[in-house]
Amino acid sequence: MKNLPLAIDVVEAKTSKIDSVDFDNLVFGNVFTDHMMECDYIDGQWQNPVIKPYGPIQLDPSAKVFHYGQAIFEGMKAFKDDEDQVWLFRPMENIQRFNKSSKRLAIPEFPEDLFLEGLETLIDLDRDWVKKGFGTSLYIRPFVIATETGVSASPSKKYKFMIICSPAKAYYSGDVRVFFADKFSRAADGGVGYAKAAGNYGAQFYPTNLAKEEGYQQIVWTDANSHEYLEEAGTMNIFFRVGDKLLTAPTSDRILDGVTRKSVLTLAEEFGIEAEVRRIKVSEIVEAAEKGELKEIFGSGTAATINPVKGFGNKGKKYELPQLEDSYASFFKKKLMEIQYNKAEDKFGWRYLVKSN
Ligand SMILES: Cc1ncc(COP(=O)(O)O)c(C=O)c1O
């Protein structure tokens, strides 16, 4: 997509909040850095973006985002290496997916190179917030919302694009047990499942709360038609290890094309781990578990990188997974993190150095 000749204005914060932050006790996504990026879409075009001190925005109560949910977002991370260099991981994947999501929600696409330039300028400005340490990172949340006033059900003519950033420590989600969906659905054919549409997430909270009451932390969504095929989890793609073979569902218009997922598949090929991308039946996973052939389930996603699953529930039965010394989950997590933190060769060109001004 061609960039518009727009300049990014930078207004630096007069003081920094950084000294008031307890970096050892961060709760994921609760603290934000000193700056944010903001860009409005008015009169059919994106205006000059500005990077400015982080703070509240003012919206009219009739802004369309509140009424029709025209909102999409992304999630990505920056990492600091031992030499204080800051890196992004495959940022163009997120930028392109952002625009794919926008298109589906009738939101105008954001120029890719302006996105990357703004992101880089913002991260450079807040680089002290990217702390060192394996597992420590800066979580980056770009999003766009419909801001036109008026409650008529039609696409907004005004939008606000923003990027906000939140320091994150190593992600530990505790023991995760998942429930295979048999009633509720996350996405349907022809729907918005492949987009990071805000409403996809809001709609999962209620069924996930019900699953929590039964002792599960996450739901693995199944196809909406039959509930026979396993698709993806709340904010993660999902992998199954049966014997020594890795299985994951193909992406479709119901499943998010996860950056971590595709990176795992590339690494599996590199390291000679057999991986099959195909539809996976609930019944085959249950059968494999009953025969003792199901060795692992793990989720892949930006927040946790790789999240091992301890057990699952299906049709009133609970299954526990074995604890493995040489799990694929820890293998892929280590390999991915070594690339992200500049501790291993970047064979596939996934790292992106944030230039320093
Ligand atoms: C629904 C869903 N599936 C999968 C993922 C994992 O994608 P990624 O690896 O790009 O973070 C996410 C998180 O972005 C998600 O929200």
Side-chain angles (χ1 to χ4, degrees):
M1 201 181 169
K2 216 176 155 303
N3 197 354
L4 301 167
L6 294 175
I8 302 170
D9 287 333
V10 178
V11 181
E12 284 194 41
K14 290 204 172 63
T15 54
S16 173
K17 308 175 286 216
I18 199 161
D19 290 337
S20 67
V21 175
D22 178 359
F23 281 89
D24 293 328
N25 292 296
L26 292 168
V27 176
F28 182 78
N30 272 13
V31 169
F32 293 90
T33 61
D34 288 325
H35 299 92
M36 62 185 190
M37 176 170 168
E38 189 174 347
C39 185
D40 289 318
Y41 182 89
I42 306 165
D43 295 334
Q45 57 185 0
W46 290 104
Q47 306 296 304
N48 271 14
V50 56
I51 291 173
K52 61 185 195 182
Y54 184 92
I57 54 171
Q58 207 173 31
L59 290 177
D60 192 278
S62 73
K64 286 184 193 265
V65 64
F66 298 133
H67 306 275
Y68 306 111
Q70 241 191 320
I72 63 104
F73 66 96
E74 262 305 325
M76 53 209 295
K77 276 181 174 174
F79 308 91
K80 194 171 257 179
D81 70 15
D82 294 338
E83 278 79 49
D84 280 332
Q85 299 182 104
V86 176
W87 301 88
L88 295 166
F89 183 70
R90 309 186 76 176
M92 290 316 293
E93 295 284 340
N94 295 90
I95 291 174
Q96 282 159 5
R97 193 171 66 189
F98 188 90
N99 279 338
K100 229 169 118 183
S101 300
S102 286
K103 193 170 177 192
R104 180 63 182 81
L105 272 286
I107 296 170
E109 291 168 56
F110 197 82
E112 284 178 7
D113 38 6
L114 191 63
F115 194 143
L116 186 62
E117 195 187 327
L119 177 64
E120 218 177 328
T121 311
L122 175 64
I123 307 281
D124 182 34
L125 200 56
D126 282 343
R127 63 170 53 238
D128 289 348
W129 291 80
V130 195
K131 296 294 181 191
K132 270 198 271 211
F134 217 42
T136 304
S137 64
L138 185 73
Y139 182 77
I140 304 159
R141 169 55 60 89
F143 63 98
V144 58
I145 53 172
T147 52
E148 191 191 355
T149 58
V151 294
S152 67
S154 57
S156 178
K157 292 192 186 71
K158 290 183 181 168
Y159 296 89
K160 191 179 282 298
F161 168 97
M162 300 194 78
I163 306 179
I164 55 175
C165 303
S166 174
K169 59 178 187 160
Y171 192 94
Y172 178 65
S173 52
D175 287 348
V176 173
R177 289 183 174 77
V178 296
F179 175 76
F180 292 171
D182 54 8
K183 179 178 169 203
F184 292 98
S185 300
R186 173 187 179 274
D189 293 339
V192 294
Y194 70 88
K196 277 185 86 76
N200 281 347
Y201 298 82
Q204 293 182 76
F205 296 157
Y206 173 65
T208 305
N209 278 348
L210 296 180
K212 281 184 180 158
E213 284 169 18
E214 303 295 320
Y216 302 101
Q217 286 68 42
Q218 296 249 0
I219 294 179
V220 177
W221 298 102
T222 50
D223 69 293
N225 294 334
S226 67
H227 295 297
E228 276 182 30
Y229 293 93
L230 294 154
E231 303 214 310
E232 67 171 327
T235 55
M236 299 185 297
N237 294 106
I238 195 109
F239 285 83
F240 301 88
R241 175 180 174 184
V242 177
D244 283 334
K245 193 191 285 178
L246 205 53
L247 303 173
T248 195
T251 52
S252 69
D253 56 3
R254 299 182 306 274
I255 298 181
L256 195 85
D257 185 5
V259 180
T260 322
R261 173 189 175 279
K262 65 175 91 171
S263 306
V264 166
L265 289 172
T266 303
L267 290 175
E269 197 180 342
E270 188 195 356
F271 289 98
I273 293 172
E274 193 186 350
E276 271 182 21
V277 178
R278 61 163 173 83
R279 300 189 82 193
I280 302 158
K281 275 201 145 185
V282 172
S283 58
E284 78 176 279
I285 294 303
V286 169
E287 208 180 299
E290 281 168 353
K291 283 193 196 152
E293 289 169 1
L294 180 69
K295 293 197 182 164
E296 291 181 72
I297 302 179
F298 60 86
S300 68
T302 297
T305 318
I306 301 291
N307 204 338
V309 170
K310 290 207 88 172
F312 71 93
N314 178 244
K315 305 227 163 72
K317 272 186 86 174
K318 295 192 174 191
Y319 301 81
E320 286 293 299
L321 290 165
Q323 292 272 47
L324 298 185
E325 292 257 312
D326 53 346
S327 73
Y328 283 176
S330 42
F331 174 80
F332 287 118
K333 185 161 189 164
K334 185 163 175 281
K335 290 287 170 206
L336 282 167
M337 287 174 67
E338 281 172 352
I339 297 173
Q340 290 168 333
Y341 289 86
N342 192 21
K343 285 181 184 294
E345 186 198 349
D346 182 21
K347 223 173 157 175
F348 305 104
W350 288 343
R351 270 196 302 264
Y352 181 89
L353 182 66
V354 174
K355 63 180 176 294
S356 150
N357 276 323

